[in-house]
């Protein structure tokens, strides 16, 4: 452990405080596992030390030093701590789609690495040659965010471009993506849910569509993802509703478009997940006027 490292204080908050990026270097013992969650921004996770696995959707990765995880918006993810008595060290970069677009050009989309990982359902980059390049850039960018020296803003921007250019170049040609531990039936369930998110997704319907016993499917899904089918579908619909609100749709339309049949259920679930009502979220983040539902 480098004594010069200024650790970022970890909090339970999973919300960004800026409209660009947040870069944190964490080192914790007795780490408390966070419930499965998703973001509306991109997350780059770099694992340094500890004993843990990481679950993204239904993919589980046993982490090694130098592992990089690329997590697109809307994908459920969660750490699975194996031994909390050991130091758990990692660097986490959160970056908004809007800011990543400003770093890109018409010919080079730096968000492509996240898109490719999402499409392939392979979120892990395990290649020490990539880690050897990315880790020093992340460390330098983090130190620059702490130092606030002349030119650090430009230095960080250059480093972020280097990082994502390297990751995009790698994911475009990587020969054998790390798929992680998963089960085909759960993958099929997740694919079906993604394609029919606003339709009837009761356990009976899913089991019938996948030709599986509903009790077997329910147990297997929870074992693989650490959430129940109901919780998974609810979180996916809430993430979709948040996206619609940010696009400025009226709340009543958001409720219907996101697959909720009952506004009261939508209201309570949204407030429980995001700490504010749909109407409050609409007033803070809605792009167009629209008529928000009462708070």
């Amino acid at each position: 452990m480098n004594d010069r490292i200024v650790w970022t204080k970890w909090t339970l908050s999973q919300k960004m405080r800026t409209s660009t990026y947040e870069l944190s270097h964490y080192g914790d013992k007795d780490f408390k596992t966070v419930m499965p969650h998703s973001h509306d921004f991109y997350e780059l996770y770099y694992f340094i030390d500890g004993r843990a696995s990481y679950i993204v959707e239904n993919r589980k990765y046993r982490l090694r030093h130098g592992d990089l995880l690329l997590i697109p918006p809307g994908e459920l993810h969660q750490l699975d701590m194996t031994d909390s008595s050991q130091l758990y060290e990692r660097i986490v970069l959160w970056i908004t789609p809007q800011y990543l677009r400003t770093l890109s050009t018409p010919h080079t989309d730096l968000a492509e690495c996240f898109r490719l990982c999402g499409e392939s359902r392979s979120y892990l980059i395990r290649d020490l040659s990539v880690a050897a390049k990315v880790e020093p850039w992340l460390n330098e960018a983090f130190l620059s965010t702490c130092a606030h020296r002349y030119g650090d803003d430009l230095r960080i921007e250059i480093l972020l471009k280097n990082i994502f250019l390297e990751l995009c170049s790698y994911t475009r040609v990587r020969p054998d993506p790390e798929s992680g531990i998963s089960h085909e039936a759960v993958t099929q369930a997740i694919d079906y849910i993604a394609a029919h998110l606003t339709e009837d997704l009761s356990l009976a319907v899913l089991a019938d569509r996948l030709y599986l016993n509903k009790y077997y499917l329910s147990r297997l899904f929870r074992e693989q993802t650490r959430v129940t089918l109901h919780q998974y579908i609810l979180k996916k619909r809430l993430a979709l509703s948040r996206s619609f609100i940010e696009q400025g749709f009226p709340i009543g339309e958001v409720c219907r478009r996101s697959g909720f049949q009952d506004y009261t259920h939508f209201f309570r679930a949204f407030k429980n997940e995001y700490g504010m009502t749909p109407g409050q979220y609409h007033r803070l983040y809605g792009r167009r006027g629209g008529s928000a539902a009462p708070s």
Side-chain angles (χ1 to χ4, degrees):
M1 174 177 167
N2 188 339
D3 291 337
R4 294 176 296 174
I5 290 176
V6 179
W7 301 113
T8 306
K9 181 177 176 58
W10 184 82
T11 69
L12 279 170
S13 174
Q14 296 295 320
K15 298 178 182 178
M16 286 189 66
R17 299 180 299 275
T18 76
S19 60
T20 54
Y21 72 92
E22 292 181 17
L23 184 57
S24 303
H25 190 161
Y26 298 108
D28 299 289
K29 284 191 174 181
D30 300 318
F31 182 80
K32 307 302 181 189
T33 297
V34 180
M35 291 295 292
H37 59 280
S38 64
H39 306 300
D40 57 358
F41 47 82
Y42 299 111
E43 178 171 330
L44 172 61
Y45 172 100
Y46 182 74
F47 182 71
I48 300 174
D49 199 12
R51 293 188 63 191
S53 297
Y54 215 97
I55 302 170
V56 186
E57 293 290 320
N58 68 315
R59 311 288 174 165
K60 185 173 183 178
Y61 305 97
R62 184 169 294 174
L63 297 173
R64 306 176 191 169
H65 173 78
D67 281 353
L68 286 149
L69 285 164
L70 280 72
I71 305 172
E75 303 286 75
L76 287 182
H77 54 283
Q78 176 192 29
L79 181 81
D80 185 17
M81 182 61 70
T82 306
D83 184 355
S84 62
S85 67
Q86 292 196 14
L87 179 69
Y88 169 44
E89 184 180 357
R90 69 278 187 206
I91 299 174
V92 179
L93 171 62
W94 290 349
I95 188 165
T96 65
Q98 297 83 357
Y99 183 59
L100 195 51
R101 277 197 294 270
T102 69
L103 300 180
S104 303
T105 72
H107 300 289
T108 307
D109 179 10
L110 295 179
E112 186 175 21
C113 54
F114 290 101
R115 179 177 62 78
L116 291 173
C117 287
E119 289 176 353
S120 66
R121 295 269 173 82
S122 181
Y123 307 94
L124 176 68
I125 294 178
R126 177 170 286 160
D127 188 305
L128 292 178
S129 65
V130 176
K133 295 178 182 179
V134 172
E135 183 174 5
W137 291 334
L138 286 170
N139 279 323
E140 186 177 350
F142 175 72
L143 292 174
S144 294
T145 63
C146 299
H148 305 294
R149 301 163 299 197
Y150 174 78
D152 271 338
D153 54 344
L154 292 178
R155 190 172 294 109
I156 293 168
E157 184 174 307
I158 292 168
L159 290 165
L160 292 178
K161 288 181 177 179
N162 285 340
I163 290 166
F164 288 111
L165 184 58
E166 175 66 24
L167 296 176
C168 286
S169 298
Y170 180 82
T171 53
R172 286 167 66 92
V173 299
R174 59 178 174 176
D176 187 22
E178 294 279 351
S179 60
I181 302 170
S182 61
H183 193 286
E184 183 61 29
V186 178
T187 299
Q188 290 176 356
I190 285 175
D191 288 342
Y192 185 88
I193 290 167
H196 303 272
L197 187 57
T198 62
E199 302 172 17
D200 180 5
L201 289 175
S202 65
L203 176 58
V205 167
L206 277 170
D208 180 64
R209 296 294 185 272
L210 300 175
Y211 305 103
L212 292 170
N213 177 277
K214 64 180 182 180
Y215 302 109
Y216 171 75
L217 175 61
S218 177
R219 177 180 58 79
L220 184 64
F221 195 94
R222 187 180 181 99
E223 288 175 356
Q224 289 279 305
T225 65
R226 298 301 176 91
V227 291
T228 66
L229 267 164
H230 173 75
Q231 289 170 328
Y232 180 85
I233 294 165
L234 180 61
K235 285 177 179 289
K236 284 291 186 179
R237 285 176 172 167
L238 288 171
L240 180 61
S241 74
R242 185 173 59 183
S243 174
F244 283 139
I245 291 175
E246 290 169 0
Q247 293 174 56
F249 288 100
I251 298 300
E253 188 175 349
V254 167
C255 178
R256 292 190 299 274
R257 280 175 172 261
S258 304
F260 290 92
Q261 303 303 312
D262 177 73
Y263 178 77
T264 301
H265 176 221
F266 168 60
F267 178 94
R268 290 174 178 168
F270 192 98
K271 186 175 182 181
N272 184 60
E273 184 76 8
Y274 301 121
M276 64 181 75
T277 69
Q280 290 169 333
Y281 195 89
H282 190 286
R283 286 190 288 274
L284 284 172
Y285 302 110
R287 291 180 188 171
R288 304 192 295 270
S291 54
S295 298

